Amino acid sequence: MTLVVLITGCTEGGIGNGLCQEFVKRGCKVYATARRVESMGALQGCEKLALDVTDQQSINSTVQRVIDEVGHIDILVNNAGAPGVGPLLDIDLDAARQCVEVNVFGLLAMSRAVAKHMVKRGSGKIANVGSIVGYSPTPWAGIYAMSKAAVHSLTDTLRMELAPFGVQALVIAPGSITSNFGKNSTNMVSVPEDSLYLSVVKFIYARANMSQGPNSTPTNVFATYVVNKLLKRFPPRYITYGNNSFTFLLFYYLPFFIREFVLSRRLGVNQLKSIANK
């Protein structure tokens, strides 16, 4: 039987788009979604649908369309994501709320809509895209890291709650993967003139684009690795892959003072000076 895969956040040049292409190569029936169908570009071999993961009606109609057409969903990949970059004392709160709304509640809403169909069949996989910063947060990306840590925690709970019904839940934790995310993150950065962090603004912008360096893992390489894991009968609970992924896993296990020492120097926090009593 042909596997049916539904993927969110499939904009051209991103991880979701790459995953679509890889699943198609494996002979799967793929439903690719994004807020705007045209943003998926020339993606071939997929059914392309408009979907806004922050709109419950959009979620319900999209999931129901897939069920009506093919009867079931074998794999849901919750990849749609929003950036959340900037100092915690400066970041626009509406932008912060949007990041959490998309990355956490949008993911949960999609999982709820699809899981009920999987439970009826007694099988299915829900793969939620977290991040290596879900293991270890960094300066200047606290909101994004918070949202991805929530994805990891949410998925761990979902896995336990769905296991009795034969449905699996797992985390995909990308490292630095070639995508549009660095550009999107950079575009959202706004450091006010009275910011405490104005003297290190170059580090804030560098953090926004940190995942898109010359050593970033190509999207197709990442997609091949992830799909290989997802198509196993029993995939791992966490699929962590890509440049910098080992480093951040190591940070997770190291004492806090080591992590903070390294990241503070890498991202310019050590260059800040106290202004108390000045």
Side-chain angles (χ1 to χ4, degrees):
M1 181 183 294
T2 301
L3 291 176
V4 178
V5 183
L6 173 60
I7 305 178
T8 67
C10 300
T11 301
E12 187 173 24
I15 287 174
N17 198 284
L19 290 172
C20 287
Q21 295 177 51
E22 188 61 30
F23 274 117
V24 168
K25 289 180 184 177
R26 308 301 181 91
C28 300
K29 173 73 173 178
V30 178
Y31 285 85
T33 69
R35 283 183 298 170
R36 296 180 298 106
V37 170
E38 58 270 23
S39 72
M40 291 183 270
L43 187 60
Q44 299 294 317
C46 305
E47 297 288 337
K48 294 188 282 190
L49 305 176
L51 168 64
D52 182 349
V53 300
T54 66
D55 182 333
Q56 190 64 53
Q57 184 175 350
S58 177
I59 290 171
N60 292 343
S61 62
T62 299
V63 171
Q64 192 59 52
R65 175 170 171 178
V66 177
I67 296 300
D68 289 344
E69 289 184 1
V70 292
H72 66 280
I73 298 170
D74 294 293
I75 301 174
L76 167 66
V77 181
N78 280 312
N79 173 69
V85 178
L88 288 175
L89 298 187
D90 292 336
I91 192 168
D92 180 80
L93 288 180
D94 287 337
R97 291 186 182 99
Q98 178 67 10
C99 174
V100 176
E101 185 67 31
V102 173
N103 296 357
V104 181
F105 292 110
L107 177 151
L108 178 58
M110 281 297 303
S111 298
R112 289 166 61 138
V114 173
K116 64 182 182 181
H117 296 286
M118 291 179 169
V119 166
K120 289 177 182 178
R121 299 182 72 234
S123 66
K125 298 170 186 173
I126 297 175
N128 295 327
V129 177
S131 171
I132 56 172
V133 298
Y135 295 124
S136 174
T138 75
W140 324 135
I143 295 297
Y144 183 71
M146 175 187 73
S147 74
K148 291 304 185 178
V151 168
H152 291 200
S153 180
L154 181 155
T155 307
D156 290 344
T157 301
L158 192 64
R159 179 169 52 253
M160 292 184 283
E161 292 180 351
L162 287 177
F165 306 107
V167 179
Q168 302 170 64
L170 59 119
V171 172
I172 300 170
S176 299
I177 311 298
T178 303
S179 70
N180 304 315
F181 210 74
K183 179 180 177 181
N184 295 338
S185 297
T186 300
N187 289 341
M188 79 161 294
V189 174
S190 178
V191 182
E193 292 183 2
D194 62 348
S195 172
L196 295 171
Y197 308 102
L198 204 60
S199 64
V200 293
V201 68
K202 67 177 182 180
F203 289 98
I204 297 171
Y205 278 97
R207 174 61 187 89
N209 202 47
M210 193 167 71
S211 66
Q212 300 307 300
N215 296 320
S216 297
T217 301
T219 309
N220 65 316
V221 174
F222 175 78
T224 299
Y225 182 89
V226 169
V227 172
N228 280 338
K229 298 292 185 181
L230 286 177
L231 292 181
K232 292 181 179 295
R233 183 179 179 187
F234 298 108
R237 292 172 173 82
Y238 277 71
I239 302 172
T240 305
Y241 186 71
N243 188 46
N244 287 323
S245 58
F246 176 79
T247 299
F248 276 74
L249 268 175
L250 188 62
F251 282 157
Y252 180 76
Y253 292 103
L254 286 174
F256 284 108
F257 78 90
I258 297 177
R259 175 204 302 179
E260 291 170 8
F261 177 86
V262 173
L263 290 174
S264 291
R265 279 150 183 77
R266 170 74 185 277
L267 293 168
V269 177
N270 67 317
Q271 297 186 21
L272 293 164
K273 305 298 182 184
S274 174
I275 61 173
N277 300 319
K278 289 187 179 180

